[in-house]
Amino acid sequence: MTGNTHIVGGIAASLAFAQITNYNPVILVGAGVIGALIPDICHGGSTIGRKFPIVSKLVNGVFGHRSFTHSLVFLFLMGALLHSFLTNESITAGILIGMSSHFILDMATKNGIKLLFPLNVTVRFPLTTRTGGAVENLVFAALTLLSFYFGYEAFAGYF
């Protein structure tokens, strides 16, 4: 999936999570967007890879694309690190929700991900799409609509 789809996926997932928690939805969304971009640090052409080219090149050189940074091991390590260094649970939850949404969206692509890294097993859904294709545009549109729906629900009490 492209960066824009991951961003809107992180927004939708964070706002959906806000429906079942008491976390601040604004913080959840901001952290969710960041979390939705983090796994692609292994790809130099990604949104985050272009911002941190040295880190991106290093991670890609050691692990390759869609392996370690797209795995449950990475998700749990990030969770432990965030829990150790951050006191705001909304930020930690948002980042982890965003990362999870990234994993799910990339499992819908033909290349899938190495979710069970270090095992060399590719995980993908039975029906997949090509990154940047027409189906991804439909996914983007659906996630955008969900974001508006969940956003209305999350912020209705503020107005």
Side-chain angles (χ1 to χ4, degrees):
M1 298 287 171
T2 61
N4 287 337
T5 302
H6 283 305
I7 289 169
V8 76
I11 292 168
S14 299
L15 288 170
F17 189 68
Q19 303 300 304
I20 58 171
T21 66
N22 289 324
Y23 293 138
N24 183 319
V26 174
I27 294 173
L28 271 176
V29 168
V33 168
I34 292 166
L37 296 174
I38 288 173
D40 274 344
I41 191 66
C42 62
H43 186 281
S46 69
T47 302
I48 193 166
R50 289 189 308 271
K51 298 284 184 208
F52 302 98
I54 295 169
V55 174
S56 179
K57 192 172 197 103
L58 179 67
V59 172
N60 186 282
V62 173
F63 299 108
H65 184 49
R66 289 191 180 180
S67 62
F68 173 66
T69 62
H70 286 68
S71 71
L72 293 175
V73 171
F74 185 63
L75 185 68
F76 289 125
L77 284 173
M78 286 293 293
L81 283 170
L82 293 168
H83 182 71
S84 296
F85 294 105
L86 295 177
T87 57
N88 189 320
E89 291 180 15
S90 294
I91 296 172
T92 299
I95 289 173
L96 297 176
I97 292 294
M99 289 175 62
S100 298
S101 75
H102 185 110
F103 293 177
I104 291 166
L105 287 169
D106 276 358
M107 286 191 300
T109 64
K110 295 190 184 305
N111 291 336
I113 62 172
K114 304 290 187 211
L115 184 66
L116 304 175
F117 180 87
L119 298 177
N120 192 22
V121 176
T122 300
V123 178
R124 65 179 156 257
F125 293 123
L127 296 174
T128 59
T129 186
R130 188 174 44 86
T131 298
V135 173
E136 181 176 347
N137 291 335
L138 291 174
V139 170
F140 178 85
L143 289 170
T144 301
L145 290 173
L146 283 171
S147 294
F148 280 110
Y149 173 76
F150 289 131
Y152 176 78
E153 293 293 319
F155 295 108
Y158 291 96
F159 299 110

